[in-house]
């Protein structure tokens, strides 16, 4: 009573005396389970039709509604537990523990985690079964700690050596995977055996290198060597965005790069993995996958063949950039990735086809369970599909989910259920808890949860007789209507459920995904996937050309649809949302999809109110200046315009800036004069970073004049030397390509940025200085200038003690790690 009164506030106090006398139906949750019983809540001294009733005070009515809500929550919650909803939430608690572990600034103590694990386990054992709330709470804590342990174990298991800084060296290693882009360039995943000239003190175990040279590609398992430029994996493009070094660490890729020219063959070496059954099997599967991809592309040239190969083997590099962008903008990019759609269609086609063939033999159909035989055959086909898919995360997730559904058919259990979704999520999180932070995992399970929950609601709907449905002439119309209605409903549910995650990770939405899917999905379902399945079955016999031609015809139609829809310009850049919104909205979405009683409306309320707050509450002020993590790109943000110091900024970084800041227009710099002669080039080491007194005076004058006379909030650049810009608040920003101009730039600028890794941490003049060394430790930077001239600096990293970040603290000269905190968020 005290807790309930405290929850309701003062409005509940006038009615506390009548609370205990409320009808028994209300005590059993009548409000949540039987709306018709609300009539029983009318007091006996009041008749429904009486006109002489005295008006009820508004406080009394509010208090009564508050008590009704409270009395209905507990029985509804009990009903959720009785229906096994707690198991559906188990992946949420387990994944939440993993996410918290990954988000911490330092690794938690294993001893402390073990202690909490023992405490929760002891509570579960000691607590009686009657105390279900205590047991459930302890089980939530146990799942949370187990998620943290799983994250810790995956980090130990990966133990990836990350390259600390860019370097040019000779790489020798064994090809583990390869993928071409259709233009003579090949991307190799190389297990590094040796580095020379220089020999790296911490060489990465595995790197991704692009070879641009002509000639026959190296086969998987062959050895190669060549001069290569290796660079570390990039961090977030802006503070708060996705960290690509995190993904590289758990993908066990220590560096990226490219070969200078074509690599040459190298003599095989014994690297310790040759002859191991696991490595031998995996390499054989990758060779098989590469052979299938080459076969498909030889039959279907261009984007058509690349598209077909991506659907079968998940090799996407050969698809042109224009087609990839068209598929993404039209909302059809999910067809390219091997995900739930591909797995479901392939398993479904095999299941239905095999069961139909068995039904043509009456003796078999009557004597054997053809449904289970077809399910077992579909499971074998699905396993084969997964083995040649390259073990992508999306394929692994879809395979586990579909395998559980087919196994459920073998044991006469419901195949489409939230329990199967929860079980597959638990398995994936147990194997790869780092996937909980990835957009692929989040969007896939969001769509699956919404679709399965929607399917459950659809199956519970009341059936109504329809006279028209019994007419023979109406049956084809009904079948076609149901098919397209299913596509519409699936597209709407899938699009709405993934919109939240798309905005969070990609900061954009596709407005025309529904019409694109309406046009493309019938082609995928009835042309591409059946023909592709038939082609794969006929490949060992060499009879796969005609089926692939049929599939290619359908793929051409899908590409045409994607280009047509993308031409409508339906991309909507949303920009970054407040940090509190995403976890709050996801919580509401989970309540809405996982709960069974009317408590699910609480989830809808949380989701709706959080979205309403985002729309009504003024957004935080955007940054005035953004800097890339290497200091090579700087930009000034004003409205929808990003003015950068590069004529053609790198698309990988700049496109993320434009989407996150909702700034679609790029303002290039104004180039003046001829390119400056480098002052720190080869043979000029003594003169490096130094100007004569007259050169400093001229440089100081030129930078000051360019900043004052240039376009407001736009850069003026002298190639190879410096770029400068004056903001509308009077602050001067200067970026340097040649660090010899550091002194003059510091004298006349408020903020100076250079990619050169200087040992200086600040300008002698007091101006703010960002160098390649400081940015290496801080990551990307945002600078916001207040109305009174104060500068607020936000960095991508506040701590570098996590395993996927420690390479940023490595000093190759002393072979030590300096884990001191980088530039922290500050106000000056």
């Amino acid at each position: 009573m005290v807790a309930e009164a405290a929850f309701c506030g003062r409005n509940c106090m006038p009615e506390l005396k009548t609370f205990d006398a409320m009808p028994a139906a209300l005590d059993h949750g009548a409000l949540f389970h039987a709306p018709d019983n609300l009539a029983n809540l009318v007091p006996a001294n009041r008749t429904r039709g009486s006109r002489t009733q005295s008006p009820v005070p508004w406080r009394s009515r509010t208090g009564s509604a508050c008590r009704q809500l409270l009395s209905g929550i507990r029985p509804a919650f009990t009903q959720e537990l009785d229906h096994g909803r707690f198991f559906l939430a188990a992946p949420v608690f387990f994944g939440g523990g993993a996410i918290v572990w990954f988000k911490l600034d330092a690794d938690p103590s294993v001893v402390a985690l073990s202690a909490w694990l023992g405490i929760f386990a002891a509570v579960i054992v000691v607590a009686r079964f009657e105390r279900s709330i205590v047991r459930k709470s302890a089980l939530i804590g146990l799942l949370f700690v187990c998620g943290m342990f799983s994250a810790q174990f995956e980090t130990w298991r990966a133990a990836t050596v990350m390259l600390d800084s860019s370097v040019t060296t000779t790489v020798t290693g064994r090809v583990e995977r390869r993928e071409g882009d259709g233009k003579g360039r090949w991307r190799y995943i190389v297990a590094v055996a040796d580095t020379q000239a220089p020999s790296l003190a911490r060489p990465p175990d595995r790197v991704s290198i692009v070879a641009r040279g002509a000639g026959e590609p190296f086969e998987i398992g062959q050895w190669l060597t060549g001069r290569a430029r290796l660079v570390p994996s990039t961090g977030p493009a802006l503070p708060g965005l996705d960290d690509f070094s995190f993904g590289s660490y758990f993908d066990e890729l220590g560096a990226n790069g490219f070969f200078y020219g074509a690599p040459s063959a190298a003599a095989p070496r014994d690297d310790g993995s040759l002859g191991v059954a696991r490595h031998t099997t995996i390499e054989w599967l990758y060779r098989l996958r590469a052979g299938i991809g080459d076969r498909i592309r030889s039959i279907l040239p261009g984007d058509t063949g690349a598209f077909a190969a991506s659907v079968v083997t998940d090799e996407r590099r050969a698809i042109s950039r224009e087609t990839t962008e068209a598929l993404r903008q039209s909302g059809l990019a999910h067809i390219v990735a091997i995900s739930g759609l591909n797995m479901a269609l392939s398993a479904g086609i095999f299941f239905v086809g095999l069961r139909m063939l068995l039904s043509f033999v009456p003796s078999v159909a009557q004597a054997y369970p053809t449904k289970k035989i077809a399910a077992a055959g579909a499971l074998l086909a699905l396993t084969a599909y997964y083995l040649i898919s390259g073990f992508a995360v999306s394929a692994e997730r879809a395979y586990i989910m579909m395998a559980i559904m087919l196994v459920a058919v073998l044991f006469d259990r419901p195949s489409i259920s939230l329990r199967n979704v929860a079980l597959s999520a638990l398995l994936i999180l147990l194997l790869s808890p780092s996937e909980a932070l990835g957009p692929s995992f989040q969007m896939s399970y969001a769509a699956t949860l919404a679709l399965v929950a929607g399917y459950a609601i659809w199956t519970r709907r009341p059936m109504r007789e329809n006279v028209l449905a019994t007419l023979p002439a109406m049956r084809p119309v009904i079948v076609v209507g149901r098919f397209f209605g299913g596509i519409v409903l699936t597209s709407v549910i899938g699009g709405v459920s993934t919109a939240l995650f798309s905005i969070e990770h990609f900061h954009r939405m596709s407005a025309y995904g529904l019409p694109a899917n309406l046009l493309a999905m019938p082609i995928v379902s009835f042309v591409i996937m059946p023909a592709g399945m038939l082609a794969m079955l006929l490949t060992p016999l060499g009879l796969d050309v005609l089926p692939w031609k049929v599939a290619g015809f359908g793929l051409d139609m899908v590409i045409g649809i994607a280009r047509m829809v993308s031409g409508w310009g339906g991309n909507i850049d949303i920009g970054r949302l407040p940090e509190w919104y995403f976890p709050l909205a996801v919580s509401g979405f989970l309540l809405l999809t996982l709960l069974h009683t009317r408590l699910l409306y609480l989830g809808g309320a949380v989701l709706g109110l959080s979205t309403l707050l985002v729309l009504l509450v003024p957004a935080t002020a955007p940054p005035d200046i953004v800097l890339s993590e290497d200091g090579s790109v700087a930009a000034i943000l004003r409205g929808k315009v990003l003015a950068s110091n590069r004529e053609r900024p790198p698309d990988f970084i700049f496109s993320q800036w434009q989407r996150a800041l909702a700034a679609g227009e790029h303002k290039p710099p104004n180039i003046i004069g001829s390119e400056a002669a480098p002052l720190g080039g080869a043979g000029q080491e003594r003169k490096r970073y130094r100007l004569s007194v007259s050169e400093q005076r001229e440089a100081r004058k030129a930078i000051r004049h360019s900043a004052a006379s240039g376009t407001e909030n736009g850069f003026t650049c002298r190639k190879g030397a410096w770029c400068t810009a004056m903001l509308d608040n009077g602050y001067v920003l200067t970026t340097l390509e040649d660090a010899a101009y550091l002194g003059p730039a510091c004298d006349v600028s408020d903020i100076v940025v250079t990619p050169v890794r200087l040992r200086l941490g600040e300008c002698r003049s007091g101006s703010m200085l960002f160098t390649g060394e400081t940015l290496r430790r801080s990551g990307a930077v945002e600078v916001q200038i207040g109305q009174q001239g104060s500068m607020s600096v936000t960095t991508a990293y506040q701590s570098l003690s996590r395993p996927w970040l420690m390479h940023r603290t490595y000093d190759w000269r002393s072979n030590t790690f300096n884990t001191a905190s980088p530039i922290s968020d500050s106000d000056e």
Side-chain angles (χ1 to χ4, degrees), residues 348-422:
I349 291 170
F350 196 95
F351 176 82
V352 173
L354 181 57
R355 194 176 183 188
M356 288 182 62
L357 288 176
L358 294 175
S359 66
F360 290 150
V361 185
S363 58
V364 175
Q366 294 176 4
Y368 300 98
T370 57
K371 181 179 179 181
K372 294 184 179 181
I373 295 175
L379 182 58
L380 291 176
L382 193 71
T383 303
Y385 190 9
Y386 171 67
L387 292 176
I388 64 172
S389 66
F391 307 104
V393 175
S394 58
E396 178 186 64
R397 181 173 55 255
Y399 171 73
I400 292 176
M401 190 179 303
M402 288 304 303
I404 290 175
M405 292 181 179
L406 291 172
V407 171
V409 174
L410 295 177
F411 289 93
D412 297 318
R413 304 295 297 174
S415 58
I416 301 178
S417 68
L418 288 174
R419 282 181 172 272
N420 292 342
V421 177

Side-chain angles (χ1 to χ4, degrees), residues 17-283:
K17 293 181 180 180
T18 61
F19 183 83
D20 295 329
M22 296 183 72
L26 183 59
D27 293 338
H28 291 284
L31 176 64
F32 276 75
H33 304 295
D36 295 337
N37 292 341
L38 289 177
N40 299 329
L41 303 181
V42 180
N45 62 345
R46 291 177 57 189
T47 31
R48 300 178 192 175
S50 174
R51 298 183 180 180
T52 60
Q53 296 176 6
S54 60
V56 181
W58 67 271
R59 288 187 176 182
S60 178
R61 294 196 302 270
T62 305
S64 177
C66 187
R67 291 195 309 276
Q68 293 172 7
L69 178 63
L70 284 174
S71 62
I73 287 178
R74 183 169 183 176
F77 183 72
T78 303
Q79 185 179 357
E80 293 287 356
L81 295 180
D82 293 340
H83 279 77
R85 294 302 187 191
F86 185 84
F87 177 77
L88 303 183
V92 178
F93 304 133
F94 189 93
I99 290 175
V100 168
W101 191 93
F102 288 126
K103 289 292 186 179
L104 294 175
D105 290 336
D107 292 5
S109 170
V110 177
V111 176
L113 291 180
S114 301
W116 280 110
L117 192 69
I119 292 172
F120 287 127
V123 172
I124 294 174
V125 173
V126 173
R128 298 179 180 179
F129 285 96
E130 293 80 7
R131 299 177 180 178
S132 60
I133 299 299
V134 176
R135 291 175 61 86
K136 297 295 185 185
S137 301
L139 187 55
I140 290 174
L142 185 67
L143 286 170
F144 193 86
V145 175
C146 286
M148 300 183 77
F149 261 119
S150 179
Q152 177 75 78
F153 178 75
E154 185 189 19
T155 304
W156 287 341
R157 183 183 62 190
T160 305
V161 178
M162 307 288 285
L163 185 68
D164 54 277
S165 58
S166 301
V167 64
T168 299
T169 183
T170 300
V171 176
T172 302
R174 191 184 75 259
V175 177
E176 292 188 343
R177 281 175 276 171
R178 67 177 177 88
E179 185 176 346
D181 65 353
K183 299 179 181 178
R185 291 175 297 202
W186 289 85
R187 174 178 174 266
Y188 297 104
I189 304 298
V190 179
V192 178
D194 187 28
T195 57
Q196 295 292 335
S199 177
L200 303 183
R202 295 178 62 255
D205 297 324
R206 187 175 289 101
V207 297
S208 172
I209 312 182
V210 175
R212 298 183 175 89
E216 291 295 322
F218 286 86
E219 297 294 335
I220 295 175
Q222 288 186 322
W223 286 72
L224 54 73
T225 184
R227 196 71 175 164
R229 179 68 174 176
L230 300 180
V231 296
S233 298
T234 60
L238 287 176
L241 300 191
D242 290 339
D243 188 351
F244 295 95
S245 62
F246 177 84
S248 296
Y249 180 88
F250 289 101
D251 289 338
E252 300 182 12
L253 288 176
N256 303 294
F258 58 89
F259 281 111
Y260 290 106
S264 57
R269 304 184 186 182
D270 185 6
D271 60 350
S273 64
L274 296 177
V276 179
R278 178 176 177 271
H279 288 275
T280 304
T281 303
I282 290 177
E283 285 193 358

